[in-house]
Amino acid sequence: MPFLARLEREERSALLALGRVLDFTPRASIIHQNEPSSHILLILHGWTKVTASAANGYEALLALRGPGDIIGESSALTGRPRSATVTALERVEAVAVEHERFRLFLEHSPEASLTLLTLTSDRMRAADRRRLDFASLTVRERFAVLLLDLARSHGRRTDKGIELAVPLSKQELAGSIGASREMVQRLLKELRERQVVMTGRKALVILRPDILRKVARSG
């Protein structure tokens, strides 16, 4: 459950009133890794991707954040530079709240502080569970798990199948499972030939989730 949805209505309204509304175009960088931090963002509309780059240039997709989510809260609480880059996948509307205002809000709202702590704990547990699961799976199995996860969280049913509602490139899919772009391209080709998925320009439709579940369970 996203951060704003966890807050009581009065707390949510009070927090949003502290900031200013910003609009971002598709593929615009909202937050830059390693840059100084001055504000948190509360997403009202649209989806973003959270990525981190290694020293050798490899980029990993860490998470997708959408309506109701908070981003940049770690830097607000620690004072450290941004730990990741956040990019708009579509038009995004968000409320920016300066760090000092956000910290004062948390100081005067113990319930909101506990809610943020719970959210942070949930995210860490999910990340740990994902790392543990992926450590025991092959790249093919990890890719099947990823597509099923995306179908559950970001899928919309169409006449043809389950279309992923967030536009992710092959490189972004690869970065999510610790694989190369070429490997993801080969796996997609294999799934297309088996008529498990259908791909197009910035579109991916899952035709046979039952087969993906079999591949995922094989690990």
Side-chain angles (χ1 to χ4, degrees):
M1 186 181 296
F3 180 62
L4 290 179
R6 299 179 184 221
L7 297 177
E8 296 294 334
R9 181 181 299 177
E10 295 77 10
E11 290 178 327
R12 184 164 58 247
S13 298
L15 177 57
L16 291 173
L18 295 176
R20 65 190 189 281
V21 178
L22 300 177
D23 285 299
F24 300 93
T25 58
R27 295 292 163 176
S29 294
I30 297 174
I31 284 175
H32 297 272
Q33 184 177 348
N34 297 325
E35 284 193 350
S37 172
S38 62
H39 60 276
I40 60 103
L41 286 166
L42 302 161
I43 302 176
L44 301 180
H45 302 290
W47 282 93
T48 66
K49 64 170 182 173
V50 183
T51 58
S53 298
N56 63 1
Y58 183 81
E59 185 177 81
L61 176 65
L62 304 180
L64 299 175
R65 300 283 182 245
D69 276 323
I70 181 172
I71 51 179
E73 74 282 359
S74 176
S75 295
L77 299 178
T78 64
R80 295 172 182 169
R82 303 289 195 188
S83 60
T85 295
V86 180
T87 307
L89 291 174
E90 55 190 359
R91 192 187 73 80
V92 170
E93 182 181 327
V95 171
V97 180
E98 293 180 358
H99 284 178
E100 186 60 30
R101 287 190 168 191
F102 181 59
R103 286 193 290 263
L104 286 174
F105 169 78
L106 294 178
E107 287 177 13
H108 292 91
S109 179
E111 286 298 322
S113 298
L114 181 59
T115 298
L116 182 60
L117 180 62
T118 303
L119 174 70
T120 303
S121 176
D122 287 346
R123 286 180 175 178
M124 290 178 64
R125 286 169 63 91
D128 289 343
R129 187 166 57 248
R130 186 180 183 86
R131 281 194 293 269
L132 179 62
D133 290 344
F134 274 22
S136 62
L137 301 177
T138 66
V139 174
R140 178 175 281 99
E141 291 158 355
R142 294 202 298 267
F143 191 52
V145 170
L146 172 65
L147 292 182
L148 290 170
D149 284 347
L150 290 173
R152 279 191 292 268
S153 57
H154 306 289
R156 55 190 174 205
R157 291 209 168 267
T158 68
D159 294 337
K160 296 178 180 177
I162 304 172
E163 182 180 3
L164 301 188
V166 288
L168 294 173
S169 68
K170 293 183 181 69
Q171 182 59 56
E172 289 160 353
L173 292 172
S176 186
I177 60 172
S180 67
R181 183 182 184 279
E182 291 73 23
M183 173 59 76
V184 165
Q185 199 159 343
R186 286 198 296 271
L187 291 173
L188 283 174
K189 181 174 183 284
E190 175 188 312
L191 293 173
R192 281 196 303 268
E193 290 173 349
R194 297 176 62 186
Q195 297 185 339
V196 178
V197 303
M198 180 175 64
T199 61
R201 189 174 180 273
K202 296 183 179 180
L204 194 155
V205 180
I206 297 173
L207 307 174
R208 296 291 305 275
D210 57 317
I211 294 182
L212 287 179
R213 283 191 288 269
K214 288 180 181 178
V215 174
R217 280 199 299 267
S218 67

